[in-house]
Amino acid sequence: MKANLVLKNAAVYTVDSDLSWAQAIAIADRKILFVGSNTDVEAYIGPDTTVIDLDGKMVLPAFVDSHMHPAQSAHIYQYGLGLFDVTGEDQIQAYLNAVRQYAAKNSDAPWIVGGGYSRSAFDEIGPRKEWLDEIDSVRPIVITSTDGHSMWVNSKALEIANIDKDTPQPQEGVIKHDPKTSEPSGLLQEPGAMNLVAQHIPEPPKEQIKNSLLWLQGWLNAKGITTVHEAMLGIEEHHIIEAYDELAQDGKLTVRYRASWNISPEGDVAAQIDQGKALSKRFTHPHFKAHSFKFFADHVTEEETGLLLEPYAHRDDDWYGIKVWGDDILQDAFSQIDSAGYQIHVHVIGDAAAQYTLDALEFTQDVNGKRDARHSFAHLQLARPKDIKRMGDLGISVHTSPYWMIIDDYFWKLNLPYLGHERAFYQQYPFNSLFKAGVNVTIASDFFVTEPEPLVAIYCGMTRRMPQLVFDRDYGGKSNYRSISDPDAELKPGDLGVLPPLDERASLKDMLVASTLNGAYANFLNEDIGSIEVGKLADLVVLDQNLFEIDIEEIPTTQIEMTFFEGQLVHSTE
Ligand SMILES: [Zn+2]
């Protein structure tokens, strides 16, 4: 049999079980036909074969991003008010200028909806409604923070949601109040508070969602990503669900999606799970399936809503964060999902969240028996060593975001005061420990929390430091920050350096396996993708240099010259 396409003279890192290297790949009908030497690939070259001589460049399996929010994020980037890249010496003023410009440009939009402000730009009360009221007091303004866990709103949005100073605090969230006036200040934290407003925002038209997903996949392909886990699909978000499925059915996707149905502790949990199961059966296209269920065990430490074993250091009221689920309800929900053969995907930030979720997963395994379940945690900022061992024993995946395993602005302004010195400096983001415990570690951007750049994630996982290009982009214009590369340097507050402990750094080999095969495994795709082996789909990236042969500082700026999705060239710098 002859190939459609042959890549030769390459440094092919196959990520097969021996982590072997090859020189050439032959591809026919979307799949890999041959992997081996330049000499042996000749047999697959016929008159119609396209042959690309790669001149020593590196070939890897294409990357998997195991936890992100593609539809929502792409829609904000394409149609909403994006504050993600807005920076300035006066950060708050820079945000307000961007809001003002967007409001003027979109004068006929009934709502101003956006995302991307950083909580670290504001004080503990957060951004204020009055600043937005000055820009527009007639239309509601709703902006989600870049971590997705809070919302900045104006007075009109509060009015539509019927929130005033007497509104009781919701169970799973906080309505922030101005300490001087006792009025709601304009910050809503976590779903219990955010949904009071969010439920009134009109659902975006399906065509807009499709357009933004098509735009996003071009970006993902350019970063070398061809598989994504959509980590929070609402069972009522019909336009989003149908947008994915219709694009898949029409053969338009160059990214394959796996997805998780979001289960809320409010309302009938068993009924939500049944609805998710029924929906799962409807969507069977290889480019869009949803066989997983998403839970939040807690929220985030920067909103004081991540669940900790020891109280938050900056408060004197013994505050541990939010425990989203009661143990019994969580155990019932997990067992119901597991016994039906579906996956469980849990947002876990704090060490106490890890502990009670592991208890529920162990309970599930005890009642249902051990099976190839591939349940998973996402994020994991803090976890005790004995709980990391339990993760390995349970065979779960942890979707990590090495982008965050650094000392940045968040660290100094939020992590350090909230967690205290010991936890902030020495216990955040256990990483190498996960590999050592036998956890299936994967890489995730949590986009829009972080813009997906697998080579940046690989660098951060290996160094626990922000790459220079990210420093220049995000902090370069601000005079009060220094970028420090020496891991032993004494850091002054505000210095952006290496996050200890150093033995939590991972190797290049582990980072590459985590970014490819482990992501495939977590999504039950390891028979199809994740390594370069005969019979698998040809999802590949070509890099302009061999990551094993260059200085580590060059990894983030390495060019992704080509990306192939099922044998089709979907990105090229040529
Ligand atoms: Zn997420």
Side-chain angles (χ1 to χ4, degrees), residues 521-541:
Y521 177 85
N523 287 292
F524 283 100
L525 281 165
N526 52 308
E527 299 288 323
D528 303 312
I529 56 156
S531 63
I532 301 174
E533 294 181 84
V534 171
K536 285 197 174 183
L537 292 164
D539 277 31
L540 312 167
V541 289

Side-chain angles (χ1 to χ4, degrees), residues 92-136:
I92 296 175
Q93 212 46 58
Y95 286 150
L96 291 170
N97 290 342
V99 177
R100 192 171 292 111
Q101 272 172 24
Y102 181 88
K105 232 167 86 186
N106 296 273
S107 53
D108 52 352
W111 285 68
I112 295 170
V113 180
Y117 69 86
S118 173
R119 275 290 276 123
S120 65
F122 302 93
D123 64 10
E124 208 187 306
I125 307 299
R128 312 301 164 96
K129 64 181 179 188
E130 290 83 4
W131 306 335
L132 296 178
D133 291 345
E134 269 177 36
I135 294 170
D136 201 321

Side-chain angles (χ1 to χ4, degrees), residues 67-259:
H67 178 116
M68 70 156 84
H69 307 282
Q72 265 186 330
S73 311
H75 190 264
I76 289 182
Y77 271 70
Q78 283 295 284
Y79 294 97
L81 157 66
L83 299 180
F84 304 95
D85 301 324
V86 173
T87 59
E89 192 72 50
D90 183 341
Q91 187 60 57
I92 296 175
Q93 212 46 58
Y95 286 150
L96 291 170
N97 290 342
V99 177
R100 192 171 292 111
Q101 272 172 24
Y102 181 88
K105 232 167 86 186
N106 296 273
S107 53
D108 52 352
W111 285 68
I112 295 170
V113 180
Y117 69 86
S118 173
R119 275 290 276 123
S120 65
F122 302 93
D123 64 10
E124 208 187 306
I125 307 299
R128 312 301 164 96
K129 64 181 179 188
E130 290 83 4
W131 306 335
L132 296 178
D133 291 345
E134 269 177 36
I135 294 170
D136 201 321
S137 59
V138 179
R139 294 182 288 173
I141 305 180
V142 183
I143 309 169
T144 308
S145 60
T146 193
D147 66 13
H149 288 262
S150 67
M151 242 175 208
W152 178 15
V153 298
N154 68 349
S155 295
K156 187 71 194 178
L158 291 169
E159 182 195 315
I160 288 171
N162 268 321
I163 299 173
D164 60 26
K165 66 177 190 317
D166 303 319
T167 306
Q169 287 296 347
Q171 228 182 9
E172 195 193 349
V174 178
I175 300 165
K176 276 276 184 198
H177 288 250
D178 188 320
K180 287 198 199 93
T181 62
S182 311
E183 292 284 332
S185 59
L187 183 73
L188 306 173
Q189 295 167 292
E190 306 301 356
M194 291 160 66
N195 287 341
L196 297 172
V197 169
Q199 61 180 336
H200 297 282
I201 304 174
E203 192 183 8
K206 199 198 302 179
E207 280 313 306
Q208 281 190 4
I209 299 166
K210 285 172 137 180
N211 287 341
S212 35
L213 283 170
L214 290 173
W215 163 80
L216 176 65
Q217 72 181 6
W219 184 6
L220 296 174
N221 290 158
K223 299 294 178 185
I225 298 166
T226 58
T227 303
V228 160
H229 194 94
E230 149 71 81
M232 203 169 105
L233 213 48
I235 47 183
E236 304 290 350
E237 287 174 329
H238 303 290
H239 288 178
I240 292 181
I241 304 165
E242 286 163 18
Y244 279 118
D245 189 52
E246 287 172 19
L247 290 173
Q249 300 295 343
D250 293 344
K252 297 256 175 69
L253 292 181
T254 60
V255 168
R256 71 177 66 67
Y257 290 97
R258 293 297 178 266

